[in-house]
Amino acid sequence: MPTPQRSPRPPHPRTAPPQRRPARPAAAGTRGTGRPGNRAQGRKTPPRWGMRVATGLSVLVLGASGIGHAVVTGLEGGIDRIDPFKDMKNRPPGGHGLNLLLVGTDGRDKITAAEKDTYKLGGAACNCTDTLMLVHLSADRQRASVVSLPRDSYAEIPAHTDRSTGKEHSGHPVKLNAAYAEGGPHLTVRTVEQMTGVKIDHYLEADFTSFMKTVDAVGGVEICTAKPLKDPYTGLDLAAGTHRLDGGQALQYVRSRHIDGAADLGRMQRQQKFVAALVGQVTGGGVLTNPVKFQQVASTVLDAVRADKGFGTEQMLALGKAMHGFTPASSEFASVPLKEDSFQVKGLGSTVKWDAEKSEKLFKAIREDKPLAPVLPDQPKAALVEVAPEQIQVQVYNGTTKDGLGQEVDKALRSTGFDTTRAPRGGGGPGELKRTQITYDPRWDRSAKVLATALPGSELKAVKGQGGMLNVTAGSDFTEVRRVKGEAPEGGEFGAVTGDQVVCP
């Protein structure tokens, strides 16, 4: 059974060691702070620049419907063309829907010296892919599924000719991002198709240098956080609450991985929130219906794009038509299920090994055009909280003479996710309690604040030594339980979540 969470002691920003990819959460029934364990030392994961650019690109390029054939034709002329499918044989059979491989490269030649200094973008770019994402647009054009393919994934690339030396190579083990370095887009597509069994219909490649300008062009992106976010490595410094991030701040937000013990897992969750918010901004902010605005935004993104020769005006218009009516709920995000996140390979070092059985199930769902995220019933908007209610144990008491009030409060708390005992008790005190009271052990103060958010007007009372169970004594002032949700929603079978689950409430 999960337990309430106590507040961790924040590390000193100048001396905190680099965070690493977290281990899987502790098994149910263990008590802890909710801080995931650290992975083995020695491997650093570079920022996932390409994911943000590639996803923003997909939203904008697919949003061309209603703008006009002439405008889109003008944009198409600025795209650098490549042929990643040339002479490709033995490909997977085509499935239902449309599959795009979005590749982000680590180019930064257009970032000014001042921006590099302000946003801490030092270092040289590499001739490799930083991020790869498989985007599936359903056959009915009602859903977009985005699956992130970790760049350090253990892969076995097929036999090929090295694009730099012309030397013939037999198939051999590599990290997935090395496919681009050895054989460019052609070998990247072959490798991804071989690993996933999914036929790639179109290839889009973007440079992260357009990211900041793109965010500025759409008018910024709204992000909310239940706790302050500060990362001395990127310069990110956000107070708890809602913020509209400009391009530079957005870059800091999606790069940060030294905020808490969640490391790369936390960063991935923030990236999902950002991408979902970007989808909402583009599809709901008038970009797709304003020719001038669309051309400004799309040209900013397409300035750094390479695409296959078959992705032209007609494809943009057809796909863009599908994007109208899209909302964050129309998009879903998942990562490849992993068996081991530090799989040692001689000559390669630490790699990420996919879970073969679960991954095959995921990509089979893509091939069969099935949704990845569970279908959830419509729910009222919920307040964003630091600790998920599912992790908070609650015992309810009835502090009044009203029959059934304890059951009513227990049921309402449970419906918004709290782990209640389902066995409310009498208050045990004389008279009528006027104000609902929450007693808690000070070690679980964050959980107590979440419970107080769900019970507006309630009184908090610290009781040393009470333990992990929080007690709620319902008073005569009780009217309702306010819905709350954690920042990291639970995914379904594949860990997938829809965009509306991660955007601001």
Side-chain angles (χ1 to χ4, degrees):
M1 180 180 292
T3 63
Q5 298 193 7
R6 65 184 68 175
S7 298
R9 179 178 299 172
H12 192 285
R14 295 187 181 276
T15 60
Q19 306 291 342
R20 298 175 173 86
R21 185 193 302 263
R24 286 180 173 84
T30 60
R31 194 187 82 170
T33 62
R35 289 171 286 182
N38 288 337
R39 57 179 299 180
Q41 297 184 7
R43 181 161 72 96
K44 295 181 179 179
T45 306
R48 302 313 199 232
W49 315 106
M51 189 184 82
R52 284 77 71 184
V53 179
T55 305
L57 165 68
S58 66
V59 173
L60 294 167
V61 170
L62 300 186
S65 176
I67 299 302
H69 197 284
V71 172
V72 178
T73 301
L75 293 174
E76 179 190 355
I79 301 177
D80 186 9
R81 294 293 180 183
I82 52 177
D83 189 2
F85 308 115
K86 184 178 181 181
D87 300 325
M88 197 173 290
K89 301 176 181 178
N90 302 318
R91 303 185 66 190
H96 303 286
L98 189 73
N99 301 311
L100 300 93
L101 183 63
L102 305 180
V103 173
T105 59
D106 190 26
R108 59 188 74 186
D109 56 308
K110 297 178 184 178
I111 298 293
T112 68
E115 289 171 333
K116 287 182 179 179
D117 181 63
T118 300
Y119 304 116
K120 302 189 178 183
L121 301 172
C126 67
N127 183 30
C128 61
T129 54
D130 185 75
T131 297
L132 299 96
M133 289 193 306
L134 180 62
V135 176
H136 173 79
L137 190 64
S138 62
D140 62 8
R141 301 303 191 256
Q142 298 298 305
R143 182 184 70 257
S145 306
V146 181
V147 181
S148 179
L149 310 179
R151 54 163 284 164
D152 291 333
S153 298
Y154 174 83
E156 295 186 9
I157 59 177
H160 64 281
T161 301
D162 190 296
R163 66 172 183 165
S164 301
T165 65
K167 182 179 178 181
E168 296 291 331
H169 292 282
S170 57
H172 59 277
V174 295
K175 292 182 181 181
L176 181 55
N177 70 328
Y180 187 94
E182 290 192 28
H186 185 269
L187 185 59
T188 299
V189 171
R190 289 182 63 196
T191 304
V192 170
E193 288 191 342
Q194 178 177 275
M195 294 178 73
T196 65
V198 174
K199 184 178 182 181
I200 305 302
D201 299 302
H202 292 293
Y203 175 93
L204 294 173
E205 179 184 310
D207 189 303
F208 92 92
T209 56
S210 65
F211 177 73
M212 291 191 291
K213 291 181 179 178
T214 301
V215 174
D216 288 335
V218 300
V221 174
E222 186 178 86
I223 291 294
C224 53
T225 175
K227 60 183 177 182
L229 301 178
K230 191 169 185 177
D231 186 347
Y233 291 83
T234 63
L236 178 70
D237 189 1
L238 295 178
T242 301
H243 307 269
R244 180 164 291 276
L245 306 184
D246 62 22
Q249 292 171 317
L251 191 60
Q252 291 174 314
Y253 180 82
V254 296
R255 287 181 61 218
S256 291
R257 60 187 297 269
H258 301 294
I259 291 174
D260 50 33
D264 283 337
L265 176 61
R267 179 171 61 177
M268 182 186 72
Q269 293 166 346
R270 286 186 289 276
Q271 291 168 354
Q272 291 176 344
K273 290 177 65 174
F274 182 85
V275 171
L278 179 60
V279 170
Q281 178 69 14
V282 171
T283 58
V287 174
L288 302 184
T289 56
N290 184 325
V292 175
K293 186 71 172 178
F294 176 84
Q295 189 166 36
Q296 177 190 4
V297 174
S299 62
T300 299
V301 181
L302 297 179
D303 180 56
V305 166
R306 296 208 299 169
D308 66 272
K309 295 179 178 179
F311 192 77
T313 301
E314 297 306 320
Q315 287 73 28
M316 287 189 197
L317 289 170
L319 292 175
K321 185 177 181 180
M323 287 296 292
H324 280 268
F326 254 53
T327 67
S330 306
S331 58
E332 53 183 12
F333 302 89
S335 295
V336 178
L338 304 180
K339 183 176 183 180
E340 192 172 343
D341 65 2
S342 186
F343 180 61
Q344 298 295 323
V345 180
K346 186 177 180 180
L348 297 179
S350 184
T351 68
V352 173
K353 190 173 185 179
W354 295 3
D355 185 305
E357 183 177 346
K358 292 180 180 179
S359 296
E360 168 55 27
K361 205 169 182 180
L362 169 67
F363 294 118
K364 182 181 179 183
I366 292 289
R367 293 191 295 270
E368 295 180 353
D369 199 25
K370 295 180 178 178
L372 306 180
V375 178
L376 300 176
D378 291 335
Q379 297 280 8
K381 286 189 175 182
L384 191 66
V385 291
E386 188 175 352
V387 180
E390 291 80 5
Q391 296 177 288
I392 302 175
Q393 297 179 36
V394 181
Q395 172 65 59
V396 176
Y397 295 84
N398 183 356
T400 74
T401 57
K402 179 182 177 181
D403 290 337
L405 180 61
Q407 289 284 358
E408 179 185 345
V409 175
D410 184 281
K411 182 178 179 180
L413 288 171
R414 192 166 64 249
S415 71
T416 196
F418 289 95
D419 182 17
T420 68
T421 63
R422 299 173 182 249
R425 303 172 182 174
E432 188 98 349
L433 182 67
K434 293 183 178 181
R435 185 179 178 188
T436 299
Q437 185 178 88
I438 299 171
T439 63
Y440 66 97
D441 190 309
R443 296 175 296 169
W444 279 268
D445 59 336
R446 291 193 301 146
S447 295
K449 291 176 182 176
V450 171
L451 187 54
T453 300
L455 294 167
S458 56
E459 177 186 7
L460 282 168
K461 182 179 179 181
V463 178
K464 289 185 178 181
Q466 178 173 300
M469 182 74 71
L470 277 64
N471 294 333
V472 171
T473 305
S476 56
D477 67 333
F478 173 80
T479 54
E480 64 176 353
V481 170
R482 183 184 181 191
R483 293 195 62 81
V484 295
K485 68 174 183 178
E487 289 196 272
E490 292 291 328
E493 181 180 6
F494 306 114
V497 296
T498 53
D500 60 318
Q501 291 178 266
V502 294
V503 295
C504 294

